[in-house]
């Protein structure tokens, strides 16, 4: 089991995702005693801009954007998404005074986790499992794997291949919650 793709790939990515959350909360915690809490407020706008820029990947895949390679836009999607997510987690920080922004943050973290699955796991793990099976001369016939050596790899792959059915609807909910958050900030903004 220690050589399974679940342990070798999913565990490090999960830890990376948790470190992103911890880094965001830690940065916010540092800003407050330094008297720089106002930076966190503005990072929400900057983080949203980075996340919006990450949608260039979808625009390129759907050929709305004609120039540039898909690979470049995928890299932009991943990097801008991570930077934006970190900024928004700092923006959300350790404040528990409003439900809507926290719901949006939770959905954003779910989208980020789902993006991990899509970018790293599904494509790379599918190739890795095929290579492992090919090296050992095992097809998809369970009788050829009597010790269940590749069982966990197969179970992991089947679960991860359904990631888009989760990722895209959550992105839609995240967009709706973000829009509601922005509108509520504008509505309740102190105009004095």
């Amino acid at each position: 089991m220690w050589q399974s793709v679940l342990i070798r790939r999913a565990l490090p990515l999960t830890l990376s995702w948790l470190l992103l959350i911890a880094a965001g909360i830690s940065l916010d915690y540092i800003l407050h005693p330094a008297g720089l809490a106002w930076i966190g407020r503005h990072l929400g706008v900057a983080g949203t801009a980075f996340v919006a820029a990450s949608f260039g990947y979808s625009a390129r895949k759907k050929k709305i954007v004609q120039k540039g390679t898909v690979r470049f836009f995928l890299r932009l999607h991943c990097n801008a998404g991570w930077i934006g997510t970190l900024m928004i987690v700092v923006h959300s920080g350790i404040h528990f005074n409003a439900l809507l922004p926290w719901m949006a943050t939770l959905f954003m973290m779910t989208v980020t986790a789902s993006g991990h699955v899509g970018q790293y796991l599904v494509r790379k793990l599918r190739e890795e499992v095929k290579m492992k099976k090919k090296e050992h001369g095992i097809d998809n016939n369970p009788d050829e794997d009597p010790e269940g050596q590749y069982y966990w790899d197969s179970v992991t792959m089947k679960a991860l291949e359904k990631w888009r059915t989760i990722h895209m609807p959550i992105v839609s909910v995240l967009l709706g919650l973000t829009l509601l958050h922005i509108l509520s900030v504008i509505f309740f903004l102190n105009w004095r």
Side-chain angles (χ1 to χ4, degrees), residues 9-84:
R9 300 288 185 174
L11 186 61
L13 292 172
T14 302
L15 292 175
S16 169
W17 181 77
L18 292 172
L19 284 172
L20 174 69
I21 296 169
I25 292 172
S26 297
L27 285 170
D28 182 64
Y29 185 76
I30 291 168
L31 290 174
H32 281 273
L36 301 172
W38 60 270
I39 292 174
R41 286 187 215 110
H42 297 293
L43 284 178
V45 175
T48 301
F50 271 90
V51 171
S54 77
F55 283 101
Y57 174 63
S58 296
R60 179 63 181 105
K61 275 181 62 177
K62 294 179 181 180
K63 298 184 180 176
I64 296 169
V65 174
Q66 298 292 323
K67 296 185 180 183
T69 65
V70 174
R71 184 181 185 134
F72 167 79
F73 279 95
L74 176 60
R75 185 167 262 150
L76 171 72
H77 177 73
C78 296
N79 293 335
W82 272 101
I83 292 168

Side-chain angles (χ1 to χ4, degrees), residues 14 16-17 34 40 61 77-78 106 116 118 127 134 153-154 173:
T14 302
S16 169
W17 181 77
K61 275 181 62 177
H77 177 73
C78 296
L106 289 175
H116 255 90
E127 293 168 6
K134 187 177 181 180
D153 291 349
S154 298
V173 172

Side-chain angles (χ1 to χ4, degrees), residues 96-137:
F96 297 97
N97 55 355
L99 180 63
L100 180 62
W102 268 99
M103 286 175 50
T105 301
L106 289 175
F107 271 92
M108 180 190 61
M109 294 311 297
T110 305
V111 166
T112 303
S114 175
H116 255 90
V117 171
Q119 181 195 4
Y120 295 107
L121 299 179
V122 173
R123 184 181 64 227
K124 291 181 181 181
L125 298 184
R126 185 181 299 129
E127 293 168 6
E128 189 174 326
V129 168
K130 282 182 184 178
M131 243 175 28
K132 279 172 75 175
K133 286 182 176 182
K134 187 177 181 180
E135 285 175 4
H136 293 86

